[in-house]
Amino acid sequence: MSKDSILIIGSNGQIGTELAESLRLIYGDDHVVCSDLKQPETIKGPFEIIDILDKDGVYSIIKKYSITQVYLLAALLSATAEKNPKFAWDLNMQGLFNILDAAKEGLIKKVYWPSSIAVFGPTTPSVLTPQYTIMEPNTIYGISKQAGERFCEYYFQKYNVDVRSIRYPGLIGYKSAPGGGTTDYAVHIYHEALKNGKYTSFLSEQTTLPMMYMPDALKATINLMEAPAEKVKIRSSYNVAGMSFNPLEIAESIKKHIPNFEIDFNPDFRQAIADSWPKSINDAEARQHWGWSPDYDLQSMTDDMILNLRKRMQ
Ligand code: NAD
Ligand code: AKB
């Protein structure tokens, strides 16, 4: 049994719900403490109410459970952040500082903090966007993620903090609902296809974005966290790619299961956010440094989503 004890902050969200399950399989229920602003409907292992902005509260939970690793997932995502930019900046940045400082002070040994493809902006080359390129994000979410990446690297270089990060694309899964992002349509579309046979997309038909199926995101996250430190050569955040598609293409993949499925389009404010992001990602460094490769493409993800959502709806 590993001696590590893990704290997930923001564990009720889209990633946290599934990450907690995966980490508990590896480390055991008692070694993975979940935490969020509110209690979830069902609690399987240790759970604590934590507000990431309450530094003393966070530190006391870290001490209570002798936590060695923190996965910091609490944040406002792109669409929600645009509605409350000042609060999004405060939450996304101060939350990160509280955990980086805990590591700097020797309270914890390892930190996971997710970045996003939102660090890229309209001036970034949008096809096969490389690890190192122009980064001029024009959303508050992207600005906070870019600043967060710089601070992760700074804390690694100055204070030897073992912080690891991935620039997730849009994530898609059947176990949990997305929490206010621009890529959320690619989750909603499956639910609406199965319930109503039709979906109105808030992004236009040709909006191609990088996406990833949740099992691949969990694999990337855990592989990066378990990689020997010398293999983690990038301490800002790693590009990782899964697949790229637009609303029309995901609809086509759904039609293989639901032939009468209909999609129409009514773009809203999220269109401008999506238009500022890459269409596809070059993840050569993640592949070379710690052996990343995805298992799912669009059709195999759709097959699995439909199969599992159908089971859940029975
Ligand atoms: P989510 O919105 O589904 O979950 C975030 C969780 O954080 C929620 O349960 C929320 O209650 C909690 N939270 C909010 N404020 C908090 C606070 N003050 N203290 C404690 N908890 C708080 O988000 P997610 O999709 O699970 O994303 C998790 C992380 O991954 C975020 O940093 C996000 O930017 C990043 N990310 C997600 C995606 C994606 O597609 N889901 C893509 C790229 C990056
Ligand atoms: C969002 O759309 O905000 C997230 C992300 C890509 O960071 N899914």
Side-chain angles (χ1 to χ4, degrees), residues 13-15 36 50-52 73 75 77 114-115 141 145 168-169 171:
Q14 189 194 8
I15 300 173
D36 208 298
I50 283 184
D51 181 346
I52 185 58
L73 304 179
L77 275 74
S115 184
Y141 176 65
K145 290 294 184 188
Y168 291 132
L171 301 183

Side-chain angles (χ1 to χ4, degrees), residues 2-3 92 98 120 124-125 135 138 140 145 165 167 178 196 228 234 236 246 267 271 278 281 286:
S2 159
K3 286 191 198 129
N92 293 5
N98 288 348
F120 302 116
T124 302
M135 293 165 85
N138 62 2
I140 193 66
K145 290 294 184 188
S165 176
R167 292 172 180 154
N196 302 319
I234 293 174
S236 51
N246 64 36
Q271 185 65 48
I281 297 292

Side-chain angles (χ1 to χ4, degrees), residues 89-118:
W89 173 260
D90 290 346
L91 174 66
N92 293 5
M93 296 311 299
Q94 194 54 51
L96 177 59
F97 287 136
N98 288 348
I99 295 306
L100 289 177
D101 283 339
K104 178 186 160 193
E105 290 162 28
L107 233 59
I108 50 176
K109 291 192 191 135
K110 217 187 254 187
V111 175
Y112 180 77
W113 171 82
S115 184
S116 161
I117 54 160

Side-chain angles (χ1 to χ4, degrees), residues 259-273:
N260 295 330
F261 175 60
E262 287 172 21
I263 183 164
D264 60 8
F265 304 91
N266 186 16
D268 65 15
F269 73 100
R270 289 167 281 193
Q271 185 65 48
I273 301 176

